[in-house]
């Protein structure tokens, strides 16, 4: 399947996963309010560590190893690797769940909310069937899209029917978990024929060291990805977590859109690296990084400019305190996108697991230290500042490491600086004409400001002859002529 078709299905999958919270969050935030919403997301943040432990780095490692087997056409080896990784994940999921149960009973605050912990804990048991690495390597994004969309539609109906008051936060937690469990069950059932049942021919030991290194890397990323919510909940309280969640929710919904192309390109990048096809590798790298800048700049600017409208529309008046936090947090989007790509798609296939691990451990210590000092001073805003600083430092280090591997590759080019310049000009126009553009209420202002911004931004790129934009227009014209 072509990159364009794969990208289309992957983007549609991300859109379907994004539309669900866009529809549900305005309703849920108004029903549960900051305190009870904070309870749900505090527990979800804690359980996130155990979800990472449950899969033991298998999804990231699996993409690399299955791509190698697929690349040389060895389908027997492909099935063996898939089976070995699956059963390793099953054992680690059971271990992670038992560890979670022990943690709940050892820590007093967790014990008080044990029911909601057990609800989210159920996902830990089924996380071993998180086999997206199989579908990514097989480039079967269409099936993932159909499965995800169907489950989301069903859970949407249950949400509006069952969640009616703040005390229904348990039901909301169930509706977050159950669709994921159903998806895992469907995935493993549809790939049952890929399992190699002759266990005497399997070799689990060959994966242990490398999966452990990748697990530690993913786990450290998980720590500084969730530690802000965990520390806020422990140091300040559930209400602050609720406001913080509302602030970062939109960022977390749009980040997968920026990263969408990386997932599609992953098997091809791995193949290019293993075959030492530097020219082809640079083409894929340019494609993603250009895309990240072209999309990331307007998304970042609009989220900052429209933070008041977005927060009041999607979360409600009670979440007004989240506006400033959202504006502080948003600039990290491009850094995270590029850093994630450099680490996961370039360094990992180059067998630089240890380097990524050391970088991630550095990020954990920076993030925990900054949160420790900033949360008591500025609460949720302090957590946002800590996250932005950490992600920026880590992303710069990853880019530097990739530059060390590929010295002749240019990260900052004219075509990547042009979107920033166009974004600044468009933002200036919105600020200058703000009182005219925002005179029609939150919803209409959201639409008018976005259209005005994108017209100025697009014209800026077109006038400056941005290569990515011009290539995109040429590609679309070619598709239209064929029809």
């Amino acid at each position: 399947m072509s990159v364009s078709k794969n990208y289309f299905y992957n983007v549609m999958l991300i859109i379907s996963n994004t539309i669900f919270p866009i529809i549900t969050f305005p309703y849920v935030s108004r029903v549960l309010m900051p305190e009870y919403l904070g309870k749900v997301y505090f527990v979800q943040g804690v359980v996130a560590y155990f979800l990472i432990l449950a899969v033991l780095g298998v999804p990231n490692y699996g993409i690399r190893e299955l791509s190698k087997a697929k690349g040389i056409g060895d389908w027997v080896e492909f099935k063996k690797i898939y089976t070995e990784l699956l059963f390793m994940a099953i054992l680690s999921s059971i271990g992670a769940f038992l560890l979670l149960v022990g943690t709940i009973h050892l820590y007093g605050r967790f014990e008080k909310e044990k029911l909601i912990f057990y609800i989210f804990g159920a996902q830990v048991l089924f996380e071993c069937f998180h086999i997206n690495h199989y579908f990514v390597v097989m480039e079967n994004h269409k099936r993932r899209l159909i499965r995800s969309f169907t489950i989301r539609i069903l859970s949407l109906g249950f949400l509006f029917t069952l969640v009616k008051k703040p005390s229904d936060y348990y039901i909301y937690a169930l509706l977050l978990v159950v669709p994921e469990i159903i998806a895992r069950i469907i995935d493993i059932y549809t790939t049952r024929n890929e399992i190699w049942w002759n266990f005497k021919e399997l070799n689990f030991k060959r994966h242990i060291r490398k999966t452990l290194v990748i697990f530690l890397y993913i786990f450290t990323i998980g720590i500084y990805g969730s530690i802000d919510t965990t520390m806020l909940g422990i140091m300040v309280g559930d209400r602050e977590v609720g406001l913080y969640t509302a602030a970062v929710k939109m960022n977390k919904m749009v980040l997968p859109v920026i990263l969408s192309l990386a997932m599609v390109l992953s098997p091809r990048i791995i193949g290019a690296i293993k075959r030492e096809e530097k020219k082809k590798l640079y083409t894929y790298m340019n494609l993603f990084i250009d895309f990240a800048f072209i999309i990331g700049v307007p998304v970042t600017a609009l989220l900052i400019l429209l933070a008041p409208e977005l927060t009041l529309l999607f979360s409600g008046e009670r979440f007004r305190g989240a506006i400033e936090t959202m504006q502080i947090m948003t600039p990290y989007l491009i850094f995270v996108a590029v850093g994630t790509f450099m680490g996961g798609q370039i360094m990992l296939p180059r067998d630089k697991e240890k380097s990524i691990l050391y970088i991630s451990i550095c990020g954990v210590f920076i993030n925990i230290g900054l949160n420790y000092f900033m949360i008591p001073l500025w609460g949720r805003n302090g957590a946002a500042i800590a996250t932005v600083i950490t992600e920026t430092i880590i992303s710069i280090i990853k880019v530097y490491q990739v530059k060390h591997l590929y010295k002749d590759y240019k990260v900052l080019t004219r075509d990547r600086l042009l979107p920033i310049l166009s974004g600044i000009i468009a933002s200036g126009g919105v600020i200058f004409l703000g009182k005219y553009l925002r005179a029609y209420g939150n919803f209409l202002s959201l639409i008018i400001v976005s259209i005005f911004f994108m017209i100025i931004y697009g014209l800026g790129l077109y006038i400056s002859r941005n290569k990515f934009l011009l290539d995109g227009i040429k590609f679309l014209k070619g598709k239209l002529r064929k029809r």
Side-chain angles (χ1 to χ4, degrees):
M1 192 178 287
S2 67
V3 172
S4 58
K5 282 188 177 179
N6 267 319
Y7 179 67
F8 171 76
Y9 287 127
N10 199 46
V11 167
M12 291 306 295
L13 175 65
I14 290 167
I15 289 171
S16 71
N17 290 338
T18 302
I19 287 174
F20 179 74
I22 286 176
I23 295 171
T24 59
F25 196 76
Y27 175 78
V28 169
S29 60
R30 286 165 173 82
V31 173
L32 300 186
M33 297 180 291
E35 183 181 352
Y36 289 95
L37 191 70
K39 285 180 185 292
V40 173
Y41 286 108
F42 171 71
V43 174
Q44 189 180 45
V46 173
V47 174
Y49 305 128
F50 296 90
L51 287 172
I52 296 169
L53 176 59
V55 293
L56 205 65
V58 162
N60 297 73
Y61 176 76
I63 290 175
R64 187 179 73 183
E65 297 305 306
L66 291 176
S67 293
K68 289 179 185 177
K70 181 190 174 187
I72 60 174
D74 191 342
W75 295 105
V76 171
E77 180 67 5
F78 184 95
K79 285 189 174 185
K80 286 180 180 179
I81 293 170
Y82 172 75
T83 306
E84 288 160 359
L85 296 180
L86 174 63
F87 281 94
M88 286 173 65
I90 289 172
L91 290 175
S92 61
S93 290
I94 294 169
F97 180 75
L98 293 174
L99 185 61
L100 173 61
V101 171
T103 305
I104 292 168
H105 290 287
L106 283 173
Y107 188 57
R109 170 145 188 216
F110 294 176
E111 175 77 24
K112 291 177 183 176
E113 297 289 349
K114 63 182 179 182
L115 178 57
I116 193 169
F117 266 102
Y118 284 134
I119 290 170
F120 279 106
Q123 189 178 342
V124 175
L125 268 179
F126 288 88
E127 196 66 4
C128 54
F129 302 136
H130 184 248
I131 54 172
N132 273 352
H133 52 284
Y134 170 83
F135 296 109
V136 168
V137 173
M138 296 304 292
E139 302 186 71
N140 191 352
H141 299 289
K142 183 178 179 179
R143 199 209 67 85
R144 293 171 62 213
L145 169 64
I146 295 169
R147 179 259 286 163
S148 176
F149 189 76
T150 304
I151 292 172
R152 297 296 184 191
I153 290 292
L154 291 172
S155 59
L156 192 65
F158 284 117
L159 175 71
F160 293 125
T161 304
L162 300 175
V163 180
K164 297 291 186 182
K165 53 187 183 298
S167 59
D168 290 337
Y169 70 98
Y170 291 108
I171 299 173
Y172 177 56
L174 273 171
L175 293 173
L176 289 175
V177 171
V178 172
E180 296 299 325
I181 292 176
I182 294 173
R184 305 289 184 262
I185 293 170
I186 293 172
D187 284 349
I188 196 63
Y189 179 78
T190 55
T191 59
R192 64 194 183 281
N193 292 329
E194 298 293 335
I195 298 174
W196 189 269
W197 290 107
N198 190 345
F199 288 97
K200 290 181 180 179
E201 297 182 9
L202 299 180
N203 180 12
F204 295 94
K205 288 183 180 179
R206 59 175 169 163
H207 304 297
I208 292 173
R209 186 183 65 84
K210 290 183 177 180
T211 54
L212 283 175
V213 173
I214 292 175
F215 157 71
L216 289 172
Y217 156 60
I218 300 296
F219 188 70
T220 50
I221 288 177
I223 289 175
Y224 71 76
S226 300
I227 198 68
D228 45 9
T229 304
T230 305
M231 291 181 74
L232 264 178
I234 293 171
M235 297 172 73
V236 185
D238 291 331
R239 186 177 185 278
E240 201 74 355
V241 174
L243 290 170
Y244 185 76
T245 300
V248 303
K249 190 74 174 176
M250 196 62 64
N251 291 327
K252 288 185 176 180
M253 285 192 290
V254 300
L255 182 59
V257 177
I258 303 174
L259 286 169
S260 58
L261 189 59
M263 186 64 73
V264 173
L265 292 173
S266 183
R268 297 164 190 260
I269 289 173
I270 292 170
I273 289 173
K274 295 307 172 187
R275 293 188 297 270
E276 296 184 356
E277 297 172 341
K278 188 183 281 190
K279 186 177 179 181
K280 191 173 286 187
L281 173 63
Y282 284 6
T283 299
Y284 293 140
M285 289 172 69
N286 286 334
L287 186 59
F288 173 77
I289 298 174
D290 288 345
F291 174 81
F293 273 83
I294 287 280
I295 301 298
V297 168
V299 165
T300 300
L302 285 171
L303 285 177
I304 293 171
L305 292 167
L306 295 170
E309 288 86 355
L310 286 167
T311 301
L312 296 177
L313 273 172
F314 287 100
S315 303
E317 189 66 34
R318 291 175 181 270
F319 288 82
R320 185 175 285 274
I323 294 172
E324 188 178 18
T325 310
M326 181 177 172
Q327 291 172 324
I328 293 169
M329 190 80 165
T330 300
Y332 89 130
L333 284 171
I334 296 178
F335 288 105
V336 173
V338 174
T340 301
F341 175 78
M342 292 297 189
Q345 313 303 328
I346 308 298
M347 293 179 70
L348 272 181
R350 283 293 305 264
D351 300 320
K352 298 296 179 181
E353 296 97 339
K354 288 185 179 179
S355 296
I356 300 176
L357 175 59
Y358 296 146
I359 294 169
S360 302
I361 291 171
C362 174
V364 168
F365 283 108
I366 292 171
N367 196 246
I368 291 175
L370 290 172
N371 274 307
Y372 182 79
F373 289 107
M374 290 184 174
I375 287 175
L377 291 174
W378 301 303
R380 59 188 177 277
N381 288 344
I385 295 168
T387 299
V388 171
I389 293 173
T390 303
E391 294 290 1
T392 303
I393 293 171
I394 296 307
S395 297
I396 290 171
I397 295 173
K398 286 179 181 176
V399 169
Y400 175 80
Q401 290 291 318
V402 170
K403 276 289 293 177
H404 182 70
L405 293 172
Y406 300 102
K407 292 182 173 62
D408 57 334
Y409 183 75
K410 293 181 180 180
V411 178
L412 276 181
T413 63
R414 175 183 175 274
D415 277 337
R416 288 165 196 165
L417 294 174
L418 286 174
I420 298 173
L421 180 61
S422 296
I424 292 171
I425 293 169
S427 298
V430 170
I431 294 168
F432 182 72
L433 298 172
K435 65 178 182 179
Y436 304 108
L437 298 173
R438 290 180 141 118
Y440 307 97
N442 289 332
F443 183 71
L444 282 176
S445 295
L446 192 72
I447 296 171
I448 293 168
V449 169
S450 299
I451 292 172
F452 177 81
F453 180 96
M454 291 308 298
I455 289 171
I456 302 299
Y457 178 73
L459 282 172
L461 293 179
Y462 187 78
I463 292 168
S464 60
R465 313 304 291 171
N466 178 268
K467 186 178 182 299
F468 187 89
L469 179 67
L470 295 178
D471 286 347
I473 294 171
K474 186 178 178 182
F475 175 79
L476 289 173
K477 283 182 178 178
K479 287 287 183 183
L480 290 171
R481 284 198 195 101
K482 288 180 181 179
R483 293 188 176 184

